[in-house]
Amino acid sequence: MIEVLVVDDDFRIAEINAAYVARVPGFHVVAKAHHAAQALAMLERGGIDLVLLDHYLPDETGLSLVRRMRQHGHLADVIMVTAARDIATVQTAMRYGALQYLVKPFAFPALRVKLEAYAQLRRTLDDAEEAGQDQVDRIFGTLRTAATAAPLPKGHSAPTAELIRRVLSAAASPLSAHEVAERSGLSRSTAQRYLKRLEESGRLSLTLRYGETGRPEHRYAWAAR
């Protein structure tokens, strides 16, 4: 198993990302952290192979944490999972050795592709003692796997999916299934069915909104690609 530490200042996002990781075979979430200091303390205990790391943390940036990890001798791999889109941050992440960079918001398939590519990289490295140029090219090429959205499943029409896309794209914030149904003129059951399939195929990003009581409300946004 690949042991994963999920680091995000928003505990709800951390829960979602941890749930995503748990859906990928071969990965196990060891712990979740919401501050850099907490994450560093967990790394000190050992046993962590991969860190899913947000950049915007309350006590320091994620990239600063990566630098301190290396200074302390922690060799866990890092995948940045953040809303930071500026090129300076992306370049610094590369220079500090982040293996992947995933921009929020994203849907489960986008993270799954990154994790599967990482697992393939580990298998490739584990199977080799020395590497010729062809092997080196394969190692570096493993992490350039492109994420592609899966096609719509049978029984789902492209015009209905396009209608939902227009509704979500025009919205100023994520919408619930009920709100999508109202704005599109679809029944709530149809809206829910399409939203679920579109999220699974990577076209939508899912967030949870917690009220004072009851189950969290699922809210959807169109995932830009």
Side-chain angles (χ1 to χ4, degrees):
M1 296 294 287
I2 296 173
E3 306 293 349
V4 182
L5 171 62
V6 176
V7 184
D8 198 293
D9 68 316
D10 187 325
F11 76 94
R12 296 165 185 167
I13 298 299
E15 290 288 345
I16 292 172
N17 289 346
Y20 280 172
V21 172
R23 291 168 63 181
V24 182
F27 288 82
H28 172 251
V29 177
V30 176
K32 298 178 287 291
H34 310 297
H35 299 78
Q38 184 183 15
L40 195 59
M42 292 176 178
L43 285 162
E44 294 284 356
R45 301 173 191 168
I48 293 172
D49 302 307
L50 176 66
V51 181
L52 294 189
L53 180 60
D54 188 16
H55 181 57
Y56 298 117
L57 301 175
D59 47 348
E60 63 178 292
T61 67
L63 292 181
S64 174
L65 174 59
V66 175
R67 185 174 63 246
R68 290 212 294 144
M69 284 171 56
R70 302 316 182 207
Q71 290 172 345
H72 287 227
H74 300 305
L75 301 179
D77 294 315
V78 174
I79 295 178
M80 298 298 297
V81 180
T82 177
R85 298 166 179 261
D86 60 284
I87 294 300
T89 300
V90 175
Q91 287 180 324
T92 303
M94 293 172 61
R95 290 166 181 158
Y96 285 4
L99 294 180
Q100 296 276 17
Y101 197 107
L102 188 56
V103 178
K104 296 177 181 177
F106 58 86
F108 166 65
L111 179 59
R112 181 186 63 203
V113 166
K114 302 294 187 188
L115 294 178
E116 289 175 346
Y118 173 73
Q120 179 59 44
L121 173 65
R122 287 176 61 97
R123 288 193 294 269
T124 301
L125 292 173
D126 288 345
D127 291 342
E129 295 183 1
E130 293 186 355
Q133 188 60 54
D134 289 346
Q135 182 77 344
V136 170
D137 290 342
R138 283 195 296 273
I139 290 170
F140 279 87
T142 299
L143 293 176
R144 291 196 290 268
T145 303
T148 56
L152 283 173
K154 292 181 180 179
H156 288 70
S157 78
T160 303
E162 173 61 17
L163 174 60
I164 291 176
R165 184 198 69 77
R166 291 200 302 269
V167 167
L168 291 174
S169 296
S173 59
L175 301 177
S176 67
H178 176 70
E179 290 168 330
V180 170
E182 283 190 334
R183 299 187 189 192
S184 64
L186 299 170
S187 69
R188 184 168 182 176
S189 61
T190 298
Q192 286 177 322
R193 185 172 74 253
Y194 271 80
L195 289 168
K196 182 176 185 296
R197 292 300 186 184
L198 289 167
E199 190 272 328
E200 289 175 348
S201 69
R203 290 171 168 83
L204 303 183
S205 60
L206 169 65
T207 56
L208 301 179
R209 185 170 73 178
Y210 289 78
E212 294 182 359
T213 59
R215 298 173 62 184
E217 180 182 52
H218 289 203
R219 301 188 69 81
Y220 301 89
W222 194 258
R225 290 187 174 274

